[in-house]
Amino acid sequence: MNSTTPDTTCGCGCTGVSSVFTPEERNVWFKSEDGQKLAEALSAKLSHLRREEVRKPTIYVGTGTCGLGAGAAKTVKAARAWLDAHEVDGDIVEVGCIGMCSAEPIMDIQLPGRTRVSFMKVTEKEAPQLLDAVFGGVIPEKAVIGQMNTCGVESWAQVPLLKEHPFFAPQTRFVLAQCGEIDPGSMDEYIAFGGYRMLARVLNTMSPEAVCDAIEISGLRGRGGGGFPTGRKWKFARMAEGDRKYLICNADEGDPGAFMDRAVIEGAPHRLVEGMLIAAYAIGASKGYVYIRAEYPLAIKRLKAAFRQARAAGLLGDNILGSGFNFDIVLKMGAGAFVCGEETALIHSVEGKRGMPRPRPPFPAVKGLFGKPTVINNVETLANIPPILAMGPETYAAMGTAGSKGTKVFALSGKVARTGLVEVAMGTSIRSIIFDIGGGIPNGRKFKAVQMGGPSGGCIPDQHLDIQVDYDSLKTVGAIMGSGGMIVMDEDTCMVDVAKFFMDFIQRESCGKCIPCREGTRRILEILKRITSGYRNETEEATLERFQGIMYMERLAKVIKDTSLCGLGQTAPNPVLSTLRWFRDEYEAHIYERRCPAGVCQELRYFTIDQEKCIGCTLCAKRCPAEAIIGEPKQAHYIIVDKCIGCGSCATVCRVDAVQLRQFEDELSATV
């Protein structure tokens, strides 16, 4: 936001739309046969908001959820305090996440006549020093990420371009193009960057059928996980009979490690609104819903502001801009149920019912919300619509692979140097994403696997790192594209523990409607818990059950896959099947040797203290939740093995590396 000229147009703190154009100008723009040219003229009228050159110093701070979590709110306050203390007439603009989450808080600084420069990890403490340096004409090399390439202004010497940074260079950014660069609270700014231009073209020059054809030609497939061709889905709904039709945007995003939709809404909410307007026009929908999880308060706030601004500009409501097209959007907050990611369960939730799947057919495109034809697309799918129409469907279709066109946004997290949002062309290898963009595995550790597709996906081992990101190719190695989560794991990760984590998540999130999913996932979780349990209190009967369980687990997983009611149940066993396929040796080590190769499973490990290294600081004894550590201050301590629960708290706090990891397999070997 502009720190010196706050707007109170709508009372929510967002930038208003009164300065964009008058109602007369708006009607001329949209009713004209040459609406595209007038839309470009409108963008030119607002060209100063593109900030290619600023009239006064401007500071941009990434205040998406990731930035705020890293302390961006304090960075904003520190920047304001610096401007006030130095009596500098400058603006502070709060933007979304540019994608490089590991570098947050990110601050950009743009001086009049100079390019905009991005800096990483600018905390409240670092902000004043950075501002002192930049306003003094010096760019601190340690903190700089890069400068933007802008014509007509002077660039900074010896400062690399932002687009050449290893994190950004391999990317192809369409969906994320404006995230982290524009003010998400300003509709004016979105229009200045070409926003709503494609809506103007569609309403003036294209029939609904032509829009559906264009999206089908583009080859765009649903980015929510199913990968169904978007244009074909739209045509089904377009041809379906019904006195009313609906469009639903699924922004629930329930996969662990996924945050793509949240970041898009926080960074460019009007992109979603424009995509929904075009989609609604294409299918003949008169009402839309955005189904978003209530745990996304910032995304909800910015989306509500975008709705208010769009209504004030005549872009939502009845007879939109005199075109005869009626459409409005309702925000529906979900309670975070994973099963509501399934289309029919989501529809039930919007209707006010319990979120539970139903058999298909009929499919939602024929009989969906309130029994009417309904199209459900996720945020990324709808955000792709404006750029597809802008570049032309043929151009979009030329990018990617034979069966997967365009780009895909991934949430890269886990044991990787540079975490964040990554948008790459389909066909990019997983190795390129993790090692070129993500910077590889930190601390000299070895790559072990990457979990793709969330709980419904699978783990891909190092021997398949060169596989392409493609809907079809990923299935050959037991994974799926999913919504786009990528969790990287290194050699210190136990794959049996990973399978147990995801199975625990799936079992808790199962709606319980069908027996295979409800009971089958519970049984698999019980087997995994037995595999990772200790031997000390195990009876002969429990030992027999453990061996029987592993014999039947793979068969049980396939039964669940073949007989569950909905797609979530059918993909529920994937984490187990993929880890069994690629890491069977780890399962065997747990079962037959009672050993966790990664030293992760608590009940298969314990800790001891090196008497020569221990300095008796007592930190380990104070932290131990089982009171298993004894010893006097300044004297070597001792861990009672029978009481040790293997939590590792002692190793975490020890400052002299006196605590050593042991496995019960060592004890068994010693007694033989």
Side-chain angles (χ1 to χ4, degrees), residues 393-445:
E394 294 83 4
T395 302
Y396 188 86
M399 185 173 20
T401 64
S404 303
K405 306 298 185 181
T407 65
K408 181 70 186 79
V409 180
F410 291 99
L412 186 61
S413 61
K415 302 294 182 67
V416 63
R418 291 189 289 263
T419 58
L421 286 179
V422 173
E423 185 176 1
V424 296
M426 292 286 194
T428 303
S429 71
I430 295 176
R431 183 185 300 277
S432 177
I433 296 174
I434 295 174
F435 289 90
D436 296 337
I437 299 175
I441 315 302
N443 304 319
R445 312 304 291 172

Side-chain angles (χ1 to χ4, degrees), residues 536 602 604-608 641 644-646 660-664 666-667:
R536 284 184 289 185
Q602 284 189 207
L604 298 180
R605 68 178 189 175
Y606 66 97
F607 291 86
T608 61
V641 174
C644 178
I645 61 175
Q660 299 176 339
L661 172 66
R662 294 284 186 269
Q663 299 216 36
F664 285 110
D666 300 332
E667 274 190 23

Side-chain angles (χ1 to χ4, degrees), residues 18 43 145 264 297 299 520 587 622 626:
S18 57
S43 294
I145 302 175
V264 171
Y587 280 87
K622 293 176 181 178

